[in-house]
Amino acid sequence: MSTIETVRRLLSDAAERSVLIDSVMEDEEARFEIALTDDRTILAEFDPGSLRLMLAVEIGRPEADRRSELLELLMSFNALWRETGGARIASGGRDEPFLLMIDVFVLAFDAGRIADLIDTLAARATAWGVLVTAPGPQGFAPGSTDELSIRI
C-alpha cells in the first residue's frame, strides 16, 4: 500500500472512530477536507517527501485593534513547540482568519491516534477561537498553555 493510500485509510478509519468527524473528502491534489459535525472543516495535506500529515483549522479573525497584541502572543506560543506538541498558529494575511496547525509523521500514527489528534485539534481550536475573537485585551497566564496545546 502506498503512503497516500495509507493516509486515505487512516483518515477514513479515523472518521469511523470519532464522533466529531462527519465526512472526509479528497480533492484531485490529494488534499483532504475533514468536515466536523459542528460545521467546521479541518484541512489535511500529506507531504510524501517528509511523510508528514499537516492538519489546519480556522480559529477566527481578531478585531483589527487586537491583531498586533495577538500576533505577539502567537509568536510566543509558536516558540513553545515542545510544550505545545508542535502546534502553531499562522495567519494568511491582515484580513484572513488565524489557523491552528500541526503536522505529524504519518507512519507513527494509527487510526485511533489520528482520530484523537483531530478531536484534540478541534477542541483546541475552540479554545483559541474564544481567545482570538474576544473583544478587548485578554490576559494569558503562563500556566494556561495546556488547554491550548496539542499533546498526542
Side-chain angles (χ1 to χ4, degrees):
M1 184 180 319
S2 74
T3 50
I4 190 61
E5 289 169 346
T6 299
V7 170
R8 285 183 189 115
R9 177 65 170 219
L10 282 172
L11 292 176
S12 175
D13 291 351
E16 293 177 12
R17 295 172 183 253
S18 171
V19 298
L20 293 179
I21 300 174
D22 190 40
S23 65
V24 178
M25 302 295 292
E26 182 180 358
D27 71 14
E28 62 279 351
E29 296 180 26
R31 293 178 299 208
F32 301 86
E33 287 188 2
I34 303 165
L36 303 180
T37 56
D38 63 4
D39 295 327
R40 290 183 295 173
T41 300
I42 294 176
L43 302 175
E45 189 171 342
F46 176 64
D47 176 36
S50 66
L51 300 177
R52 301 195 69 76
L53 180 67
M54 187 279 305
L55 302 166
V57 61
E58 288 185 9
I59 58 172
R61 186 177 291 115
E63 292 182 5
D65 62 338
R66 292 198 60 229
R67 188 168 183 81
S68 59
E69 166 200 351
L70 286 168
L71 287 173
E72 186 174 326
L73 168 67
L74 300 180
M75 286 191 300
S76 296
F77 175 80
N78 288 347
L80 299 172
W81 64 274
R82 283 187 182 96
E83 292 85 351
T84 67
R88 58 201 176 279
I89 298 177
S91 171
R94 178 170 298 283
D95 296 323
E96 299 296 319
F98 290 158
L99 298 172
L100 177 61
M101 306 168 63
I102 191 164
D103 62 279
V104 295
F105 181 65
V106 74
L107 299 180
F109 280 70
D110 61 17
R113 287 188 74 202
I114 291 287
D116 290 345
L117 175 61
I118 290 168
D119 291 352
T120 302
L121 184 66
R124 297 315 183 252
T126 298
W128 271 107
V130 169
L131 182 70
V132 165
T133 60
Q138 301 292 313
F140 185 74
S144 63
T145 58
D146 285 347
E147 68 185 46
L148 300 175
S149 302
I150 300 172
R151 303 296 283 173
I152 298 292

